[in-house]
Amino acid sequence: MSEHTHQPDSGRTRELPMARSMCWHCQSEMSGEYFCGRCVKVQPLSKELDYFTCLNLPRKLNLDEKALEETFYALSRSFHPDYYATKDEGQKAISLGNTALLNTAYRTLKDPMQRAEYLIRLEAGSAKDIRTSPPADLFDEILELQEDLDEFRSLSAEASDDRRQELLEKLQADRLTLEARKAHMEDRLREQFSRWDALPTEAEGDSAVQAQKDAVLTGMQEILSNRTYVKNIVNDLVAATSPTAEPGRSAWH
Amino acid sequence: MAYSEKVIDHYNNPRNMGSFKKEEDGVGTGIVGAPECGDVMKLQIKVENDTIVDAKFKTFGCGSAIASSSLATEWLKGKTVDEAGEIKNTEIVQELNLPPVKIHCSVLAEDAIKAALNDYKKKAETEEKTEESAASAGA
């Protein structure tokens, strides 16, 4: 990254992609610690720091939730802005920045779906690099459901005619079916988690392993995309058919 | 977030919302989705003598996706099939002043146009072939 690193030549130190490779305060050499070993000043986390590294976890999908929690709390305590209230502006800013990054990292990794999405982004550069085939059948199904939803919304609740009741029952049944399908997709995704975790981590240049990795990433991306479509239609169904539903819906998201 | 006036106008008064029968002669249908946000867009064209005489859309998604497809149907009308293939998502972005986070909505509209054109061309080809085989069978 930076050409002016002051890393020791041994190369054996664990290299964390920090914003600086020396302490911003006392200029002593650093090899990725969050605090300077000499002057004990907090160091800024690099914007390029990936969330797994930040929370000291391997790039696995079935992660140790207890370890995640513990590291998060420990780091939260050490970066917490309350402890920097009396410090100079530089340290206050670092404390705030680190806390913000740490919170995002924790939130992302805690949720299995977000964790998978994040890992795909990390490993594939950008999720857009992975092209999945559009699920034509699912689209047809969604369009059909949306037509029913449109009709249902157009019938006023006061009218309470037979058609409305019939549609309501159909849509509620559809909702249950789709929720079950979403749950099934999440189960399938978890199976991919285990496949990913079983692959060797150190496999630079090993094309066979890379091909396996790509296959798992593409498989996960496909499930995640389809899950998003299903999630959206389920949300629309819930919004329209639950008793407290407001008439109409907002598309402003 | 702030939408441009044009987006709001297309959202409140969508042009050409609706659908044609898929099987109808000269109708091309494109159904596409954006995996990032789960939006689904259906765009249809009706072609007579190589010119798009009508276009319709149905979009289930955010305001920008609705506006992008509504605008696309307006632009498609009167264009030849080849001209329609030239429509670029960047033109939609410019016209609607879409912010960077909503650019994928315009990409979705471009994809939908392409899918509808492909569907039309495929249908036209199969029709030709059936006619040919019918003619040769008759001879």
Side-chain angles (χ1 to χ4, degrees), chain A residues 205-231:
Chain A
D206 186 333
S207 58
V209 174
Q210 193 54 48
Q212 278 179 304
K213 278 191 170 183
D214 289 347
V216 177
L217 291 172
T218 309
M220 288 199 293
Q221 181 61 52
E222 190 137 7
I223 299 172
L224 280 168
S225 302
N226 291 356
R227 180 182 168 273
T228 310
Y229 296 121
V230 173
K231 195 177 83 187

Side-chain angles (χ1 to χ4, degrees), chain B residues 31-84:
Chain B
I31 302 174
V32 293
E36 302 91 351
C37 56
D39 288 1
V40 178
M41 187 180 282
K42 175 165 113 173
L43 191 143
Q44 293 182 297
I45 50 167
K46 195 172 189 176
V47 183
E48 278 171 21
N49 300 321
D50 207 44
T51 302
I52 297 169
V53 291
D54 206 354
K56 291 210 181 292
F57 83 93
K58 271 197 176 177
T59 294
F60 302 98
C62 70
S64 299
I66 292 170
S68 296
S69 40
S70 169
L71 177 69
T73 54
E74 272 198 322
W75 281 356
L76 282 168
K77 283 197 213 177
K79 283 200 164 58
T80 65
V81 172
D82 285 345
E83 285 167 352

Side-chain angles (χ1 to χ4, degrees), chain A residues 25-77:
Chain A
H25 184 254
C26 72
Q27 268 95 52
S28 41
E29 283 175 3
M30 304 266 310
S31 53
E33 301 89 351
Y34 293 141
F35 295 87
C36 173
R38 207 176 107 204
C39 72
V40 211
K41 292 276 189 293
V42 64
Q43 304 296 312
L45 298 179
S46 160
K47 292 270 176 289
E48 270 110 63
L49 184 69
D50 82 77
Y51 299 163
F52 290 95
T53 312
C54 174
L55 284 154
N56 197 25
L57 290 162
R59 229 177 246 199
K60 300 283 179 196
L61 287 169
N62 284 312
L63 51 78
D64 181 348
E65 284 178 35
K66 201 164 158 269
L68 168 69
E69 206 106 302
E70 280 170 4
T71 314
F72 170 65
Y73 287 133
L75 288 174
S76 287
R77 270 193 300 275

Side-chain angles (χ1 to χ4, degrees), chain A:
Chain A
M1 234 171 286
S2 164
E3 288 174 290
H4 308 285
T5 47
H6 291 248
Q7 296 283 352
D9 289 330
S10 74
R12 292 307 309 158
T13 41
R14 183 151 164 269
E15 241 180 273
L16 280 171
M18 303 292 286
R20 293 153 191 264
S21 56
M22 58 177 178
C23 173
W24 61 273
H25 184 254
C26 72
Q27 268 95 52
S28 41
E29 283 175 3
M30 304 266 310
S31 53
E33 301 89 351
Y34 293 141
F35 295 87
C36 173
R38 207 176 107 204
C39 72
V40 211
K41 292 276 189 293
V42 64
Q43 304 296 312
L45 298 179
S46 160
K47 292 270 176 289
E48 270 110 63
L49 184 69
D50 82 77
Y51 299 163
F52 290 95
T53 312
C54 174
L55 284 154
N56 197 25
L57 290 162
R59 229 177 246 199
K60 300 283 179 196
L61 287 169
N62 284 312
L63 51 78
D64 181 348
E65 284 178 35
K66 201 164 158 269
L68 168 69
E69 206 106 302
E70 280 170 4
T71 314
F72 170 65
Y73 287 133
L75 288 174
S76 287
R77 270 193 300 275
S78 34
F79 295 146
H80 203 286
D82 282 359
Y83 298 127
Y84 295 87
T86 58
K87 302 278 162 56
D88 60 62
E89 291 307 311
Q91 292 184 70
K92 274 187 200 168
I94 294 172
S95 142
L96 269 178
N98 285 5
T99 301
L101 178 67
L102 181 66
N103 285 340
T104 315
Y106 174 68
R107 264 203 313 274
T108 307
L109 293 192
K110 193 176 161 63
D111 178 69
M113 301 298 130
Q114 284 190 49
R115 189 191 309 152
E117 272 168 9
Y118 180 70
L119 180 103
I120 294 169
R121 268 215 311 279
L122 268 185
E123 291 285 335
S126 140
K128 285 185 192 96
D129 294 345
I130 298 180
R131 274 271 151 217
T132 52
S133 50
D137 291 351
L138 183 60
F139 288 166
D140 284 341
E141 219 181 314
I142 287 171
L143 288 169
E144 221 167 275
L145 272 166
Q146 290 285 9
E147 308 260 305
D148 287 344
L149 263 176
D150 272 351
E151 190 189 342
F152 178 75
R153 289 196 199 97
S154 70
L155 300 167
S156 90
E158 286 84 51
S160 70
D161 52 58
D162 293 347
R163 176 64 183 151
R164 191 179 187 278
Q165 192 54 38
E166 183 193 330
L167 266 176
L168 180 64
E169 278 163 26
K170 182 194 172 290
L171 290 172
Q172 279 168 341
D174 288 337
R175 173 188 156 184
L176 291 179
T177 317
L178 283 163
E179 277 171 342
R181 241 161 80 188
K182 190 171 140 244
H184 178 64
M185 285 173 168
E186 287 164 10
D187 289 343
R188 274 176 46 221
L189 195 68
R190 287 206 175 78
E191 287 167 23
Q192 299 288 323
F193 281 16
S194 306
R195 280 189 61 196
W196 173 266
D197 292 355
L199 291 170
T201 26
E202 307 292 336
E204 289 282 314
D206 186 333
S207 58
V209 174
Q210 193 54 48
Q212 278 179 304
K213 278 191 170 183
D214 289 347
V216 177
L217 291 172
T218 309
M220 288 199 293
Q221 181 61 52
E222 190 137 7
I223 299 172
L224 280 168
S225 302
N226 291 356
R227 180 182 168 273
T228 310
Y229 296 121
V230 173
K231 195 177 83 187
N232 277 12
I233 183 78
V234 167
N235 286 348
D236 284 353
L237 285 169
V238 170
T241 61
S242 58
T244 53
E246 293 281 316
R249 67 158 177 153
S250 167
W252 299 113
H253 49 78

